[in-house]
Amino acid sequence: MSGPVSILGGGDFGWALADAARRSGREVIVWTRRAQEQAREGVTVTETLADAAAADLVFFAVPSPYVGAVARELGAHLDGSHRLVHISRGVVADKHTPRTLTQVLRETTPCRRIGALAGPIVARALAEGDASAGVVGSRFPEIVEAVRDVFAVQRLDVFGTDDVLGVELASTMVSLLSMAIGYGLASGLGPATLAMVATRGMNEAARIGEGLGARAETFHGLAGLGDLLAAFAGDGRPELEVGRLFAAGVTPAEVDKQVGARIEGLRTARWIAKYAAHTGARLPVLQILADVFRGRLRAEQALDALMAQEVS
Amino acid sequence: MRPVLKLLKQRILQVRPQLPSFPGRAARADDPAVFSFNEQRASVMDSVTRRIVSRYRTREPQELLYLLSDAANTEVRRLSSQKDAEAELEISAWRKLLRGNGRMSHDERVAALERICARMSGDVAGNFDPRVYGIALRIVPGLLTGVMSPGTFPRELVQPGWPQLDALIRVEGPVERLRRLARLGTLILVPTHSSNLDSVALGYVLAREGLPPVVYGAGKNLFTNPIISFFMHNLGAYRVDRRVQARLYKEVLKGYSFEIIRRGYHSLFFPGGTRSRSNMVERHVKLGLAGTAVSAFTENQLDGAPRPVFFVPITINYPLVLEAETLIDDYLKGAGQSRYIITDDEFSQVDRMVAFLKKVLVLRNGAVIRFAEPLDPFCNPVDELGRSLSPSGRAIDPGTYVQQGGRPVADELRDMGYTRELGELLPSVYRRETVILWTHLVAHVLYRYLVLRTPGRDLFTRQRVRDASMRRDRLDREVGLAQAKLIELEQSDRVRLGRAIRSEPPSRLVDEALEAWSGYHSKPIAVAEGDSVRMLDPNLLLFYQNRIVHLADDLATPETVKAARIIAAMGEGA
C-alpha cells in the first residue's frame, strides 16, 4: 500500500507526520484551517476538507474537542474503504463516562477501520528522527500495518494492540500525569515523590480502565508508563509547561487561555472527578490531581492530602 | 423415564420423518430460497467439508494433529460419561483415532478429517419441506389455542385465522421494510433470548406477518419431543449438540451457517447463546455465528456476486416467563458458571406449559415481539431500498468495507474486527428496544424497597429474606413516579414501553402484576395483605426486575437512590 495519506491539522505534530510520510515516499495531503504558504514538495496543502477524502488513510491531528466537528464534515465524503487514525491525547467527557475519540469517529463517519496512535512520540522527536516507538490501538490489524508503512523509513517501531480503549485512556491519563510532573518539578518536589505520584496515578488509571473494559497491562506499556517516562526525561511536551504555570499560581482559566485547547489534561481532571463521584471508585492520587488542576488545592495541601491517604 | 420409553424415543429420533412423496405444491418464483433447500442440502454439506479440509490441508500439519486429537479427546470423554447405546457405537472409532493420530501421515489425517466433517455436517444439517411449512402454519396455532382452551379445539382447528393467539403476540417495528429487505438480501435475525418459547413464538409471528421462514440452529435437546422434532427437522432447523465440545464441531457449525447465509437463506440465531438466566437483557453476545454472516458477505463480494446481508435485532418480551423459576435458580446457584444446558425445565413439563398458556390467555397479553431497525454487517442502518446509510444519511456501498485499493480483499482479521463491533452494538440496541412491561416495573419497585430495607446485605442473604412487605400506598406512589420517568425516557427514545405502562394508573399496574404473579409460578411472588403487599419470592422479584436493571439509576427517587445504585451495580457486574 503506498497510496496518498491525508493529515488533518497543521500543528507541529501534523507537519511532523506529513514529513515522515513524505520521507516514506508517500504523497501527502495536509488539511488546515490556516492555509499557510508552506509549500513542500509532494505535499498538497488544502483548506477544503473534502480533498482529504482522496486518500484512504487519514490521520486526525487536531485537538480532541474539534475531532467530532471535523469528522462530521469530512464524514460526508468518506465510505467504508477509508481508514482513520487519530493521535489526540484525550477523551470527550459524556456525563460521567468518557467517550473516546475512536468512538466519536465511529459515530460521525461511516468508517469502521479506525485506530488510535499513542506512545512517546512527540513532534520534535519525529522531525529530528530520534529512535522511538509508538503503539496503535485498533480492532483492525491492517491499521497497524498502515501506520507502520507511513513510518517505514523512520526509526520508529510501531506496535499494535486491540485494546483500543486502553490505549486511548492511558494516553489521556498521561496528559494529566505529565502536567503533574511539570507541576511537581516547579514546586520543588523530589524525584522519589514524583515517581510515587506517577506510579500510583498510573495504577489508578489502570483501575479506571479495567472498570470500563480496558486491560491494565496497556497502561503499563508504551501508551501509558512508556509515554510518561518520556515526559520525565523532559521531551518538551506542552503539558509540562502547563504544570509549571499552575505551580507559578496562574489560574486555570488563564492557563486555558494561554495554552489553548491543546491541553487535554484539564478536561481529564474534570471527568475524573465526575467519574469518581459517580462510581464511588477510590482514586486518591488522581482525585487530588484533579483538585489541583481545578484550582481547589495548593501544592503543599496536595502533598499533605496525598500522604494522609492509606496506601491501597 | 422408563428404559423402554427411552429406547423408543431414541429410535424415533434416529429416523428422519418425511411426508410421503405425493405431488406437492408447484414451486413459485417468489418462494423464499429455503423452499428449495433440500435440493441443495447435499451440496451445502459438501461445501462445509470441503472448506474445512482445504483449510487444514495447507496449514501446518501440527494444527491438524491438534485439531483431531482435541476432537477425539473431548468426544471420548463425553461419550464415556454418556454411557448409552449411541456412545458405545461411536466411542471405539474415536479411541482408534486417538491411538493412531500421532503415527498418521498428513494425508491420512486429511482423509480422517474429511470423514469426520462429513459425518458431523450430516448430523447438523436440517431439512426444509414446504408442505410441512404449510401444515405447520395451519395447525400449530390451532394446536396452541386448542391446548389453551380444549373446549373450542375442533372449531378453532377448522377456522382460518387464530384470533386468540393473534391477540396474544403483538408485533412492533418496521415489518413492511423487513418484507422488502427479505427480497433484496439475506436477513439475519438476532433476537434476545429468554425462553424456549422464543423460537416458536417468533416462527409463528414471521409467518403471520408475511416474513419468510428462517433457518436456525436449535439445541439438540429441543429435538427430544418427537412432534416438535418433526417440525424442526422439516422447517430448516439444524441441530446443535451443545454437549459436543470439540473445536472441529464448532468449525462445522460455523461452516454450515456460513454456507447457508452465503447461499442467501435467511437465518436466525440468538447472540446471547443461551436463555438469559438472570432475565437481564443481554450485555455480552457470542460472536461466532455473527462472524459467519460477515464472512459470507465478504465471500460474495469476492465472488463478484454481492448480496446484501441485513442484521435484524429483535427483542422478545414477556410479562411472565415460562421457565422463570428454573432460570433464576440456575443464575443464583451458578453465579457465573450456570449450566449451559438445562433439560429438565418447565418447557419439558406439559402441565406447566398448559398452565402457562392458560395464564397468558387470561392476561390477554402474551408477548411483545419488537423488530429493531435493520443494520448492515458494518453497523450502518439500512433504508427501504436496502441501502446502507452513513451518519449523514447518505447511501454508501457496503462493499467498500471489505475493499482495499478499490477492490474487495479477503481478510479474516478485518472481518473479525467488524464482528466485534456488531457484538458491541447489539447489547445497546437490545437495551433500547426492550419493551418494558408492567410486571418488570412493579417487580423493580418492590425489589428496590427490599434492598432499601436490607442495608449491608449481600445478594445471597438478601434473597433469603422472607415476608418483607411494603405499604400499598407507597408502592403505588413509587410505581407512579417510575412510570412517569419511563414515559419521559420513552420520549427521548431511550426505552420502549408496553401499552399498559403508557396508559394505566399505577394502582392498576400493581393489581395486574399481583394477578399475573399468582396462579402460574409454583407460589405467588407477592400478595396483597391488608394495606400492604407482602413479598413471598424475592428470587422471582429479582428475575422480573432484572429486565430493567440497567434503568435503576434513572428510576431512582431521592429516598431510594442508594438502593437503586446497589441494584444498578448488580447489572453492571453481571
Side-chain angles (χ1 to χ4, degrees):
Chain A
M1 271 302 296
S2 52
V5 178
S6 281
I7 290 152
L8 312 182
D12 292 348
F13 206 103
W15 278 108
L17 266 177
D19 289 339
R22 190 64 215 122
R23 281 197 290 275
S24 305
R26 307 288 282 267
E27 214 181 290
V28 178
I29 302 161
V30 173
W31 170 83
T32 163
R33 288 204 196 277
R34 310 172 296 261
Q36 304 120 316
E37 300 305 312
Q38 305 207 34
R40 305 185 193 195
E41 203 197 331
V43 178
T44 312
V45 183
T46 177
E47 277 181 81
T48 311
L49 200 46
D51 293 347
D56 80 351
L57 178 61
V58 181
F59 283 90
F60 279 72
V62 296
S64 64
Y66 306 138
V67 167
V70 171
R72 196 166 291 114
E73 193 183 334
L74 177 64
H77 308 280
L78 302 178
D79 62 30
S81 64
H82 287 91
R83 294 168 297 167
L84 313 180
V85 178
H86 81 82
I87 54 123
S88 300
R89 289 180 210 279
V91 293
V92 181
D94 188 10
K95 282 211 276 179
H96 42 74
T97 44
R99 224 148 53 92
T100 64
L101 294 180
T102 54
Q103 277 171 288
V104 171
L105 293 176
R106 241 187 124 286
E107 287 158 16
T108 49
T109 73
C111 306
R112 296 293 174 263
R113 290 180 265 184
I114 294 173
L117 173 61
I121 315 172
V122 291
R124 197 180 63 194
L126 261 189
E128 290 171 5
D130 288 354
S132 163
V135 57
V136 174
S138 179
R139 292 259 163 83
F140 298 86
E142 65 176 290
I143 294 290
V144 183
E145 283 304 320
V147 173
R148 218 168 259 161
D149 283 348
V150 167
F151 294 117
V153 297
Q154 197 85 18
R155 289 196 296 167
L156 181 82
D157 277 340
V158 176
F159 296 87
T161 171
D162 65 350
D163 183 13
V164 192
L165 179 65
V167 165
E168 294 186 276
L169 286 179
S171 171
T172 301
M173 296 299 186
V174 166
S175 176
L176 176 67
L177 291 170
S178 301
M179 275 165 47
I181 291 166
Y183 183 87
L185 284 171
S187 319
L189 299 185
T193 314
L194 291 179
M196 174 196 69
V197 171
T199 313
R200 286 184 56 190
M202 194 52 85
N203 260 325
E204 291 173 14
R207 243 182 283 158
I208 297 182
E210 279 190 308
L212 294 168
R215 295 198 292 269
E217 69 206 50
T218 307
F219 291 76
H220 300 125
L222 273 176
L225 268 184
D227 193 6
L228 193 57
L229 284 174
F232 264 97
D235 65 355
R237 66 181 67 184
E239 285 91 344
L240 294 168
E241 179 57 22
V242 176
R244 272 184 215 113
L245 288 174
F246 266 104
V250 181
T251 65
E254 273 175 65
V255 174
D256 231 356
K257 217 187 303 166
Q258 276 194 34
V259 200
R262 292 195 313 184
I263 304 308
E264 316 288 358
L266 292 178
R267 259 178 303 280
T268 308
R270 273 175 233 135
W271 81 251
I272 284 177
K274 279 190 206 157
Y275 176 83
H278 176 73
T279 57
R282 236 179 73 77
L283 306 165
V285 174
L286 292 181
Q287 271 181 289
I288 287 168
L289 293 181
D291 282 344
V292 168
F293 294 117
R294 289 187 303 161
R296 298 185 179 180
L297 273 185
R298 302 276 321 139
E300 322 76 67
Q301 295 169 308
L303 203 56
D304 287 346
L306 203 57
M307 299 319 287
Q309 293 286 340
E310 274 176 49
V311 177
S312 57
Chain B
M1 198 185 296
R2 273 168 295 169
V4 183
L5 272 179
K6 198 165 184 176
L7 196 71
L8 195 67
K9 202 160 154 188
Q10 266 178 16
R11 280 287 158 74
I12 292 172
L13 286 181
Q14 276 161 18
V15 294
R16 293 275 161 95
Q18 292 284 331
L19 288 182
S21 56
F22 54 80
R25 59 192 280 290
R28 283 193 296 261
D30 59 348
D31 279 345
V34 73
F35 275 42
S36 53
F37 178 78
N38 283 7
E39 292 151 34
Q40 287 208 22
R41 190 172 183 272
S43 139
V44 167
M45 284 161 52
D46 194 48
S47 300
V48 172
T49 303
R50 216 176 45 240
R51 273 178 202 276
I52 294 177
V53 168
S54 71
R55 194 180 311 152
Y56 282 96
R57 193 197 301 278
T58 50
R59 284 192 191 170
E60 285 291 306
Q62 291 254 318
E63 287 194 40
L64 181 51
L65 173 76
Y66 295 152
L67 184 80
L68 290 179
S69 107
D70 168 76
N73 269 313
T74 51
E75 279 300 87
V76 166
R77 205 179 314 135
R78 173 178 78 89
L79 293 167
S80 48
S81 66
Q82 197 173 307
K83 291 194 183 89
D84 60 12
E86 181 202 358
E88 295 282 297
L89 223 65
E90 289 183 17
I91 200 165
S92 59
W94 287 112
R95 286 213 171 101
K96 197 171 152 214
L97 174 66
L98 203 53
R99 278 197 303 275
N101 193 15
R103 289 190 301 275
M104 280 152 73
S105 69
H106 186 59
D107 287 342
E108 285 169 328
R109 278 192 213 114
V110 169
L113 176 69
E114 197 163 351
R115 279 197 308 277
I116 299 169
C117 277
R119 265 208 43 214
M120 283 180 168
S121 62
D123 190 54
V124 166
N127 295 286
F128 189 94
D129 189 329
R131 293 167 301 169
V132 177
Y133 178 66
I135 292 170
L137 284 191
R138 263 169 287 143
I139 283 181
V140 172
L143 278 179
L144 284 176
T145 346
V147 167
M148 289 186 281
S149 47
T152 63
F153 183 66
R155 194 168 46 84
E156 289 286 351
L157 195 63
V158 291
Q159 269 181 3
W162 311 100
Q164 299 201 22
L165 196 71
D166 276 353
L168 288 181
I169 308 180
R170 197 152 54 84
V171 168
E172 297 178 357
V175 174
E176 174 56 40
R177 190 176 348 151
L178 295 178
R179 277 185 219 122
R180 297 184 65 166
L181 294 185
R183 293 192 293 272
L184 297 169
T186 310
L187 300 185
I188 313 289
L189 307 186
V190 280
T192 56
H193 198 8
S194 41
S195 167
N196 277 337
L197 289 177
D198 288 350
S199 45
V200 182
L202 191 57
Y204 167 68
V205 156
L206 291 180
R208 184 180 87 188
E209 303 294 325
L211 288 163
V214 291
V215 174
Y216 101 108
K220 206 167 180 171
N221 52 329
L222 290 183
F223 286 78
T224 47
N225 177 325
I227 297 171
I228 292 182
S229 173
F230 170 77
F231 284 108
M232 292 268 185
H233 268 311
N234 292 295
L235 294 176
Y238 55 97
R239 287 204 292 182
V240 179
D241 189 341
R242 289 169 177 171
R243 296 167 305 176
V244 181
Q245 290 298 315
R247 257 192 305 136
L248 176 55
Y249 184 67
K250 285 170 190 156
E251 286 201 36
V252 169
L253 284 178
K254 282 200 218 166
Y256 188 81
S257 172
F258 168 84
E259 199 57 45
I260 56 175
I261 295 170
R262 193 178 73 80
R263 293 171 189 231
Y265 299 110
H266 308 299
S267 294
L268 157 74
F269 64 88
F270 295 102
T274 171
R275 289 169 293 171
S276 169
R277 298 300 192 255
S278 61
N279 202 31
M280 287 181 204
V281 181
E282 281 88 342
R283 290 183 67 229
H284 303 287
V285 300
K286 301 198 173 210
L287 302 172
L289 291 178
T292 64
V294 178
S295 311
F297 174 88
T298 303
E299 185 77 9
N300 285 337
Q301 291 278 330
L302 290 167
D303 284 351
R307 182 177 172 84
V309 166
F310 307 117
F311 280 86
V312 186
I314 299 169
T315 61
I316 304 180
N317 311 275
Y318 301 95
L320 287 180
V321 174
L322 170 69
E323 309 99 312
E325 285 160 274
T326 306
L327 292 173
I328 192 69
D329 274 355
D330 194 52
Y331 171 68
L332 291 169
K333 239 183 272 164
Q337 41 179 338
S338 11
R339 290 178 293 166
Y340 195 55
I341 314 163
I342 299 179
T343 48
D344 51 353
D345 59 29
E346 293 84 344
F347 187 71
S348 57
Q349 301 162 15
V350 176
D351 52 334
R352 291 306 300 276
M353 182 83 101
V354 172
F356 177 78
L357 292 174
K358 277 185 176 156
K359 187 81 204 169
V360 159
L361 194 66
V362 171
L363 293 171
R364 304 215 56 83
N365 192 343
V368 183
I369 294 185
R370 182 175 175 93
F371 293 89
E373 292 291 309
L375 303 164
D376 74 6
F378 314 102
C379 302
N380 297 303
V382 173
D383 72 3
E384 313 282 329
L385 302 173
R387 298 176 307 183
S388 300
L389 298 180
S390 77
S392 60
R394 188 170 41 100
I396 44 172
D397 172 11
T400 56
Y401 288 88
V402 298
Q403 287 175 6
Q404 211 176 71
R407 43 186 193 84
V409 173
D411 182 346
E412 217 175 304
L413 294 173
R414 175 198 64 209
D415 292 352
M416 273 167 61
Y418 289 132
T419 308
R420 280 176 64 183
E421 305 252 306
L422 262 173
E424 266 179 20
L425 180 65
L426 280 180
S428 64
V429 174
Y430 289 152
R431 276 199 298 276
R432 194 183 60 231
E433 301 294 336
T434 286
V435 180
I436 299 168
L437 303 171
W438 78 99
T439 46
H440 309 141
L441 171 60
V442 177
H444 174 67
V445 172
L446 281 168
Y447 192 77
R448 189 174 65 189
Y449 185 75
L450 181 65
V451 174
L452 189 77
R453 282 292 132 136
T454 51
R457 300 227 197 165
D458 67 19
L459 174 66
F460 296 96
T461 47
R462 186 182 310 119
Q463 293 310 123
R464 282 202 291 272
V465 172
R466 290 288 175 269
D467 298 334
S469 56
M470 181 175 186
R471 283 185 59 90
R472 177 65 197 252
D473 51 358
R474 177 170 183 174
L475 174 59
D476 286 3
R477 191 175 67 243
E478 289 191 11
V479 166
L481 291 172
Q483 179 188 22
K485 183 71 194 179
L486 283 173
I487 291 171
E488 198 184 308
L489 289 174
E490 190 183 42
Q491 277 156 6
S492 56
D493 225 22
R494 279 189 51 203
V495 303
R496 312 284 173 213
L497 302 181
R499 283 191 290 207
I501 292 191
R502 266 194 231 120
S503 55
E504 300 289 339
S507 64
R508 180 79 198 282
L509 297 179
V510 174
D511 286 343
E512 293 275 336
L514 295 181
E515 164 63 25
W517 287 337
S518 65
Y520 166 64
H521 293 302
S522 45
K523 63 178 176 201
I525 301 177
V527 290
E529 215 177 63
D531 53 7
S532 295
V533 170
R534 186 180 287 273
M535 304 174 213
L536 300 179
D537 193 336
N539 287 1
L540 286 176
L541 275 182
L542 175 68
F543 182 84
Y544 286 110
Q545 81 95 34
N546 270 344
R547 208 63 188 164
I548 55 172
V549 68
H550 54 281
L551 296 171
D553 281 330
D554 293 292
L555 301 183
T557 59
E559 269 178 294
T560 57
V561 71
K562 269 193 181 153
R565 186 87 277 279
I566 292 173
I567 294 174
M570 281 160 46
E572 285 154 14

